[in-house]
Amino acid sequence: MNRQTVGRPTLAKVAELAKVSVSTASLAFSGAGPITPETREKVLAAARELDYSGPNPLGRQLRSGRSGIVGVVIGDQLGRSFRDPVSTQVLHGLVSAIGEQGLGVLLVPGMPQGTTAQSVGLAAEAGLPPAVDPLVEAAAMDVAVLVWGTLKDDPNLAALQRRGVPVVIGEGQDVPGVPVVGVDDRRGAAEAVRHLVELGHTRIAEITLPFGRDERSGLVDAARLATAERTPTRNRLAGVRDVIEPVMSWETPASLVEHGRDAATEILSEWAPARDRPTAIIAHSDLLAAGAVIAARELGLRVPEDVSVAGFDGLDLPWLSPDVLTSVHQPLVEKGRALGLAVIALLAGEEPDSVILPVSLVEGTTTGPVPDLSALP
């Protein structure tokens, strides 16, 4: 038999050429089971001669009852997520962990294409449940990872549970029987604010992560504060208030530099006498904090001599030079790997425990002693 064999090459033809059974040839491709290296190489050599690339993936899926795919539901617009190094580093850790097991990834938007904050708000006012992307409802996946957690009555979680798809949650609310991987947000935020207080700051403003589905920009009052749903937001709000009540809190629609810049421009603008303006800003993310630094520069303020800025994430932002953010560092890649290990455990029939990873404050150049504003008008 040679390359001129009539018809499409099959596993049976490979087994015939290698003079082994079809089941033995199958083991050579699966990499599992009792087969000697010599036999495996004989089968692979026969496959090369016949230009046979391996068993049909669909057939293998049908036989095993698994797709080999992990659905990764991004709780944001995909394009916006890939502008955030936090998202890309977590995804890197996750994909690395499950890739080692030969698993693939299907990235799924947290909301259907074309959904806007306005449409979400209108649906809520009409009493309609939030929509989910069709992939959540129908795509083949063995496990789903809700990377950025769950909200109250979360439609993605509900759809996956209806389908019987096992779920792993990243930084979300506790759900019975579902492993959660998070970080110690609350303690980290408190540590950053405590650092500012120890430097003498008492007029500390806050720039927050989004509260829920209805992306909003503006001041946060007590009523709005009670509506925060997203777990990282709630934890960081609580951590700040474990130490001090901020003089002003500004909500942003997404963790992007431009939103931090806009928020800090409002916080530091001429809404009050200079001696009454905040002397420090705690931002819920490093991209928001970087935007605050840029806004301060544009307003003619020095960082940290006139205003201190602290963030959360521990990102490397060389474009912010010469400033280096004071920031709460979280283990982003490790968080992704922990999500991946939980996936692998579920596929092995285990019940993985929830994990809370530690964080640590690392001082940079953007925080310093409280300025003396007594001489200002």
Side-chain angles (χ1 to χ4, degrees):
M1 190 176 296
N2 54 39
R3 288 179 179 271
Q4 297 178 352
T5 301
V6 177
R8 180 180 177 182
T10 65
L11 185 62
K13 292 177 180 178
V14 171
E16 181 182 353
L17 180 59
K19 294 182 171 58
V20 299
S21 67
V22 174
S23 60
T24 297
S26 178
L27 289 174
F29 283 97
S30 70
I35 182 173
T36 66
E38 293 78 14
T39 301
R40 177 178 288 111
E41 179 52 39
K42 187 165 61 171
V43 171
L44 296 180
R48 288 193 293 270
E49 182 173 341
L50 294 173
D51 285 333
Y52 178 72
S53 59
N56 185 299
L58 181 57
R60 186 166 58 243
Q61 291 169 16
L62 292 172
R63 289 191 297 273
S64 68
R66 290 184 174 176
S67 66
I69 297 296
V70 176
V72 179
V73 183
I74 306 293
D76 198 352
Q77 301 168 19
L78 290 182
R80 195 160 63 184
S81 290
F82 283 108
R83 291 181 58 197
D84 186 350
V86 172
S87 294
T88 56
Q89 290 188 45
V90 171
L91 287 174
H92 171 66
L94 170 59
V95 172
S96 297
I98 63 177
E100 293 167 2
Q101 303 298 314
L103 298 168
V105 167
L106 173 67
L107 291 180
V108 182
M111 295 180 290
Q113 186 70 24
T115 301
T116 64
Q118 183 180 15
S119 64
V120 169
L122 291 173
E125 290 175 7
L128 299 174
V132 300
D133 190 279
L135 291 172
V136 175
E137 296 277 12
M141 59 183 79
D142 299 326
V143 178
V145 181
L146 300 177
V147 176
W148 299 123
T150 53
L151 300 177
K152 182 180 178 182
D153 301 323
D154 194 284
N156 290 307
L157 177 64
L160 292 165
Q161 290 183 324
R162 280 196 304 272
R163 296 180 56 193
V165 176
V167 174
V168 178
I169 294 175
E171 288 199 82
Q173 302 175 19
D174 289 337
V175 177
V178 178
V180 176
V181 175
V183 299
D184 199 351
D185 299 270
R186 183 167 183 166
R187 187 186 65 79
E191 189 174 348
V193 177
R194 195 171 293 113
H195 165 68
L196 293 171
V197 170
E198 289 171 352
L199 290 170
H201 296 276
T202 57
R203 296 188 57 77
I204 300 174
E206 175 185 42
I207 301 176
T208 84
L209 288 169
F211 278 32
R213 299 182 185 92
D214 58 332
E215 298 174 358
R216 175 183 175 276
S217 177
L219 283 170
V220 174
D221 57 18
R224 180 62 182 172
L225 193 66
T227 68
E229 282 194 77
R230 296 191 181 277
T231 298
T233 307
R234 293 175 60 189
N235 288 343
R236 296 175 200 187
L237 287 167
V240 170
R241 286 153 184 80
D242 285 343
V243 181
I244 197 170
E245 185 66 32
V247 296
M248 182 186 298
S249 184
W250 195 279
E251 180 184 354
T252 64
S255 178
L256 294 175
V257 173
E258 56 264 36
H259 297 308
R261 175 183 173 274
D262 292 345
T265 299
E266 295 290 342
I267 289 170
L268 298 172
S269 62
E270 298 179 358
W271 58 272
R275 65 186 301 166
D276 292 333
R277 72 168 177 252
T279 62
I281 293 174
I282 173 68
H284 284 197
S285 79
D286 279 354
L287 293 187
L288 294 174
V293 171
I294 292 170
R297 292 173 180 171
E298 292 174 346
L299 292 169
L301 299 174
R302 300 167 299 165
V303 178
E305 291 84 359
D306 298 319
V307 60
S308 288
V309 178
F312 197 116
D313 288 327
L315 299 179
D316 180 19
L317 303 175
W319 46 264
L320 197 60
S321 178
D323 287 305
V324 176
L325 284 175
T326 292
S327 176
V328 177
H329 286 224
Q330 60 165 312
L332 296 167
V333 175
E334 291 83 350
K335 181 163 65 177
R337 285 196 64 84
L339 290 167
L341 293 175
V343 167
I344 294 166
L346 284 174
L347 289 174
E350 302 171 5
E351 296 182 4
D353 294 328
S354 292
V355 176
I356 298 297
L357 300 171
V359 298
S360 60
L361 178 70
V362 177
E363 295 182 33
T365 64
T366 58
T367 53
V370 61
D372 181 6
L373 302 180
S374 59
L376 294 176

